[in-house]
Amino acid sequence: MKICILDWTTVTSGDISSDIFREFGEIKCYELTDNEHAAEYIGDADMVLCNKVLITDDVIKKCPNLKYIGLFATGYNNIDLKSASEHGITVCNAGSYSTDAVAQQTFAYILDHYSRISQYDKFVKNDGWINSKTFSKFPIKTMELSGKTISIIGFGSIGKAVAKIADAFGMKVLVNTRTAPVNCPYETVSLKNAFKRADILTVHCPLTEQTVGIINAENLSLMKCNAIVINTARGGIVKEQELADALNSGRISAAYLDVLVNEPMSPETPLKTAKNCVITPHTAWAPLETRLRLINIVCSNIKAFLSGSPVNKVN
């Protein structure tokens, strides 16, 4: 069995070895692959493992030995599923590996905004406390999470985990989802009401025709001026210029973003210089434990395929 890994650097910073896949066969491992070289690198491989590299109809036709595509990701819009099915290729993804990590980072953003830890650390190290006449100095406004309203867009595994944490903080949880959740303990609301009532609006849904650009000027105009927006889902959910305008005008208080329309970030994005906009480089899924879980799922998928009973198929 010949296995080609196209973009190993997207899942490791040197802390995970690709040797784990050697039990399945001969490995060719590339740190990164330009889309135009995908067919060349795959060559006569039986399996390809990838994260974001495009596996198009043209690539599939040029790789006649290919029988299996394994994704280091939940999303699979980089794969031509129709062509894969027509050529008898099984495609398997890795779902629900990052739930805890993404929920954790969502609340890291929330706590950063409401508790201002880094700002107070800077204040102290600039001698603000040394020069204080009182034992406690609090020039930077902080707030409690208890009683605040969080609107969660999308109620899959990550949305549910965020709701559970919010509930533990004593927050009011609102849920907006395209399908009515069964036995949901939280209030479900329309998209407009999710924006209108939120102190915090956080997005945990896939990028679809229905969700593309939903963080836009119209919906942002419904929000409280002290509300914040969080996006750890997909960059295309945000209309970047319209969010930047809302931040710069004070229409909303802040935004915390782990994903952008263009990744790596384009220097032209208006969010780079927008007021009160915190951007992290798509790291919510990246704790070591999370990535090891991902690799284990990918291995389990391969084992299931080789045994004749594939799991996590998406085609």
Side-chain angles (χ1 to χ4, degrees):
M1 184 70 66
K2 294 183 177 181
I3 303 168
C4 178
I5 302 172
L6 291 176
D7 48 4
W8 184 237
T9 298
T10 64
V11 295
T12 178
S13 58
D15 50 2
I16 303 174
S17 172
S18 61
D19 288 347
I20 191 171
F21 297 107
R22 294 195 182 281
E23 67 171 293
F24 304 115
E26 176 187 338
I27 290 180
K28 290 190 299 182
C29 185
Y30 298 94
E31 292 187 358
L32 289 172
T33 298
D34 294 331
N35 291 321
E36 57 266 30
H37 291 120
E40 174 189 345
Y41 289 2
I42 294 168
D44 62 350
D46 305 286
M47 290 187 174
V48 62
L49 305 179
C50 64
N51 194 333
K52 303 301 180 190
V53 178
L54 298 181
I55 308 297
T56 63
D57 177 59
D58 182 59
V59 170
I60 289 169
K61 287 177 178 175
K62 290 178 179 177
C63 301
N65 288 356
L66 198 57
K67 304 175 185 67
Y68 178 87
I69 300 171
L71 286 152
F72 295 118
T74 303
Y76 45 84
N77 58 338
N78 56 316
I79 311 297
D80 188 326
L81 295 181
K82 181 174 180 292
S83 179
S85 295
E86 289 173 349
H87 289 82
I89 300 169
T90 298
V91 182
C92 297
N93 73 339
S96 300
Y97 67 91
S98 64
T99 297
D100 292 338
V102 177
Q104 174 181 311
Q105 185 142 322
T106 298
F107 267 86
Y109 295 147
I110 293 170
L111 291 168
D112 178 78
H113 182 75
Y114 281 88
S115 295
R116 308 290 185 178
I117 302 299
S118 59
Q119 290 183 42
Y120 268 114
D121 176 64
K122 184 177 180 181
F123 170 79
V124 167
K125 289 173 180 174
N126 284 334
D127 293 343
W129 200 9
I130 288 174
N131 295 324
S132 173
K133 294 181 179 180
T134 58
F135 78 97
S136 173
K137 190 71 173 175
F138 40 92
I140 305 165
K141 182 181 179 181
T142 59
M143 291 174 282
E144 293 184 354
L145 290 184
S146 180
K148 299 294 186 295
T149 297
I150 183 169
S151 290
I152 301 171
I153 310 298
F155 204 56
S157 60
I158 297 173
K160 289 183 175 70
V162 169
K164 184 178 179 181
I165 299 169
D167 199 25
F169 271 106
M171 302 175 73
K172 169 69 175 176
V173 177
L174 305 178
V175 171
N176 171 263
T177 180
R178 62 183 176 84
T179 55
V182 178
N183 299 322
C184 180
Y186 311 110
E187 182 181 354
T188 56
V189 296
S190 68
L191 186 65
K192 297 295 185 186
N193 272 321
F195 277 87
K196 186 175 182 179
R197 294 172 60 184
D199 295 304
I200 301 159
L201 184 131
T202 182
V203 183
H204 303 289
C205 61
L207 181 63
T208 66
E209 290 182 2
Q210 291 71 40
T211 62
V212 64
I214 59 172
I215 298 179
N216 55 41
E218 180 182 356
N219 288 331
L220 291 167
S221 72
L222 302 173
M223 300 190 78
K224 304 171 186 178
C225 63
N226 62 349
I228 69 171
V229 167
I230 298 169
N231 184 20
T232 57
R234 288 292 182 266
I237 289 169
V238 173
K239 289 191 175 180
E240 293 187 347
Q241 185 62 62
E242 295 179 16
L243 176 57
D245 291 343
L247 290 165
N248 291 331
S249 68
R251 176 80 279 284
I252 63 170
S253 179
Y256 289 79
L257 309 170
D258 192 48
V259 288
L260 295 174
V261 171
N262 295 306
E263 296 179 353
M265 181 174 73
S266 165
E268 280 75 44
T269 177
L271 293 167
K272 184 173 184 287
T273 56
K275 291 167 58 177
N276 300 320
C277 186
V278 175
I279 303 173
T280 50
H282 207 137
T283 58
W285 71 285
L288 176 60
E289 298 92 337
T290 313
R291 289 180 287 115
L292 287 171
R293 188 179 303 117
L294 167 64
I295 298 302
N296 287 333
I297 292 172
V298 173
C299 286
S300 295
N301 286 348
I302 294 173
K303 289 176 182 176
F305 170 74
L306 293 175
S307 73
S309 301
V311 295
N312 297 321
K313 282 186 64 178
V314 296
N315 69 329

